[in-house]
């Protein structure tokens, strides 16, 4: 079939709208009509070449839609089902999948980086030339063929624009707090960054019963947003020293848990100092490829701090995405308020510009207005 897609031909270029040829889904694949897709920092990193991908590629990895057709071996979804898309389909059989950590799947990871589906092939072509997939999904298009394991069936009474965001940014931020840090009631939680991921971490900390939720962001409107989502304290790092300020806010102890949703230079070292003895630092934002993390070695031992990464919220997407949408439907996870602006596919490059200007919590490209809401 013919589909409309935004294609990245060269790093640094704007995305170009093209009509591509899309194959039928294979036996273990699903054809999805994309209703809406968020634009995530990772997409911008790849557009700029900081996260490499085979080119040309259709970016987009935060989407939701409706199943159009399924391969012959697919049983868990059928045409007409609403699905949120997981960018880390798990094989179910490798040691990480067997061990309950499917986002570390050893089978999926190489194909993800290779820009293909699970069998090493692509399903999109531009006048005969192969076009690569991005994180198995390529949601900057009105239709996508995705691995069956990426299609997570969801309730059909939540807006697909909301479900799209849960498919990457929300799960990433929320899961870093709940699954990785396992924040306990009464904790103090420090969060760097008040974009879509950081605000999802704020919501998770609040839902976990954190006593203090402290957010660091240099932009005033982002800090206001954090307060609206439940942060108890905000810090402008250009005005106040973060470590001393956090200690003053936490009876001199420091934060029990620190979440770095930025990945910027110097954040990890500062978060280490702002974290209480015995506390946990979770790195979520992905630094540049040459970044090297360092912490003071002796204090790392003596203060028994935990330092850990968290990929995709350390989640089990097939369970966690529906669970988060249940929280949304119950009014306890206002994901819809993360959406700052919506755009048609024709204006997708504006979404990148606005995001890079720091104007958005999340920008959402709506591909099917009737389905998205
Ligand atoms: Zn993402
Ligand atoms: Zn696996």
């Amino acid at each position: 079939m013919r589909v409309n897609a935004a294609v990245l031909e060269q790093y640094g270029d704007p995305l170009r709208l093209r009509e591509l040829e899309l194959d039928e889904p294979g036996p273990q694949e699903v054809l999805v009509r994309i209703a809406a897709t968020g634009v995530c920092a990772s997409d911008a990193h790849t557009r700029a070449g900081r996260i490499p991908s085979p080119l040309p590629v259709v970016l987009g990895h935060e989407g939701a839609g409706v199943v159009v057709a399924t391969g012959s071996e697919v049983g868990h979804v059928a045409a007409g089902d609403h699905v949120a898309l997981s960018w880390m389909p798990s094989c179910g059989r490798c040691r990480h999948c067997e061990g309950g950590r499917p986002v570390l799947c050893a089978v999926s990871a190489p194909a993800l980086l290779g820009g293909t589906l699970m069998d090493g092939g692509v399903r999109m072509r531009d006048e005969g030339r192969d076009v690569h997939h991005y994180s198995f999904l390529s949601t900057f298009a009105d239709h996508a063929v995705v691995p069956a394991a990426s299609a997570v069936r969801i309730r059909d009474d939540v807006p697909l624009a909301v479900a799209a965001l849960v498919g990457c940014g929300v799960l990433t931020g929320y899961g870093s707090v709940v699954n990785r840090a396992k924040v306990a009631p009464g904790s103090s939680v420090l969060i760097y960054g008040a974009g879509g991921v950081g605000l999802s971490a704020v919501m998770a900390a609040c839902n976990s019963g954190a006593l203090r939720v402290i957010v660091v962001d240099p932009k005033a409107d982002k800090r206001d947003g954090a307060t609206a989502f439940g942060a108890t304290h905000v810090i402008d790092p250009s005005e106040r020293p973060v470590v001393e300020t956090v200690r003053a806010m936490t009876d001199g102890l420091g934060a029990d848990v620190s979440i770095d949703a930025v990945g910027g230079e110097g954040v990890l070292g500062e978060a280490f100092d702002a974290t209480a003895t015995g506390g946990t630092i979770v790195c979520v934002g992905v630094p540049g490829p040459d970044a090297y993390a360092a912490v003071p070695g002796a204090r790392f031992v003596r203060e028994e701090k935990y330092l850990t990464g968290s990929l995709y919220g350390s989640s089990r997407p097939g369970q966690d995405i529906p669970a988060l949408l249940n929280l949304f439907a119950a009014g306890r996870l206002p994901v819809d308020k993360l959406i700052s602006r919506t755009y048609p596919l024709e204006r997708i490059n504006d979404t990148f510009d606005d995001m890079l200007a720091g104007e958005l919590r999340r920008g959402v490209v709506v591909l099917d207005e009737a389905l998205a809401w």
Side-chain angles (χ1 to χ4, degrees):
M1 66 184 293
R2 306 288 290 177
V3 301
N4 294 309
V7 179
L8 177 68
E9 298 273 357
Q10 297 291 337
Y11 296 136
D13 282 359
L15 306 184
R16 284 178 59 213
L17 285 194
R18 301 284 297 164
E19 200 178 279
L20 304 182
E21 187 64 33
L22 181 67
D23 292 345
E24 301 278 306
Q28 295 181 34
E29 294 164 5
V30 175
L31 172 64
V32 178
R33 178 173 184 81
I34 306 293
T37 174
V39 177
C40 172
S42 305
D43 298 306
H45 287 324
T46 296
R47 193 179 72 147
R50 287 189 298 272
I51 297 178
S53 163
L55 301 175
V57 62
V58 176
L59 300 176
H61 64 281
E62 185 176 85
V66 177
V67 174
V68 176
T70 58
S72 57
E73 297 171 15
V74 177
H76 74 294
V77 289
D81 285 348
H82 288 204
V83 289
L85 299 178
S86 159
W87 53 258
M88 190 54 98
S90 51
C91 76
R93 293 176 298 281
C94 73
R95 63 187 291 256
H96 298 303
C97 287
E98 291 278 12
R101 298 176 74 175
V103 299
L104 302 180
C105 178
V107 175
S108 295
L112 183 146
L113 297 173
T116 67
L117 295 190
M118 298 290 261
D119 66 354
V122 300
R123 305 289 177 268
M124 296 180 286
R125 264 163 290 278
D126 186 359
E127 295 175 354
R129 192 167 58 127
D130 282 357
V131 176
H132 290 88
H133 301 258
Y134 188 64
S135 299
F136 299 104
L137 303 183
S138 294
T139 54
F140 295 167
D142 55 18
H143 289 77
V145 169
V146 303
S150 285
V152 177
R153 191 176 169 190
I154 58 170
R155 52 194 296 166
D156 57 13
D157 61 348
V158 296
L160 287 165
V162 164
L165 300 198
V166 172
C168 181
V170 173
L171 185 50
T172 296
Y174 202 93
S176 70
V177 169
V178 170
N179 296 328
R180 200 80 191 111
K182 296 188 165 61
V183 164
S187 301
S188 295
V189 180
L190 171 64
I191 296 162
Y192 282 86
V197 172
L199 292 175
S200 298
V202 170
M203 291 190 273
C206 294
N207 283 358
S208 299
L211 175 65
R212 303 182 187 95
V213 181
I214 305 164
V215 173
V216 179
D217 197 293
K219 293 201 82 125
D221 57 333
K222 291 278 185 74
R223 292 194 299 277
D224 291 346
T227 304
F229 275 82
T232 57
H233 304 69
V234 292
I235 300 173
D236 177 353
S238 67
E239 282 200 341
R240 289 193 283 172
V242 171
V243 175
E244 290 77 4
T245 306
V246 170
R247 287 194 180 275
M249 290 168 171
T250 55
D251 305 324
L253 298 171
D256 299 299
V257 168
S258 295
I259 306 287
D260 174 11
V262 178
E265 208 182 331
V267 173
L268 170 60
E270 188 179 272
F272 184 89
D273 289 341
T275 301
T277 294
T280 299
I281 302 107
V282 184
C283 298
V284 180
V286 183
D290 300 327
Y292 213 90
V295 295
R299 286 179 46 217
F300 189 47
V301 174
R302 292 197 184 105
E303 297 176 10
E304 288 202 2
K305 290 179 186 175
Y306 297 85
L307 175 59
T308 177
S310 177
L311 179 69
Y312 207 178
S314 311
S315 61
R316 289 172 291 175
Q319 297 172 41
D320 290 355
I321 290 173
L324 292 186
L325 289 171
N326 286 341
L327 279 175
F328 168 78
R332 291 166 58 189
L333 192 72
V335 177
D336 52 333
K337 295 193 171 62
L338 291 176
I339 301 173
S340 307
R341 259 173 241 168
T342 61
Y343 306 77
L345 187 63
E346 294 72 31
R347 289 188 52 221
I348 191 163
N349 291 300
D350 295 344
T351 322
F352 280 84
D353 293 344
D354 293 348
M355 175 175 69
L356 295 172
E359 292 176 9
L360 304 177
R361 294 171 184 160
R362 242 350 180 225
V364 171
V365 175
V366 174
L367 294 128
D368 188 317
E369 194 72 37
L371 288 175
W373 308 106

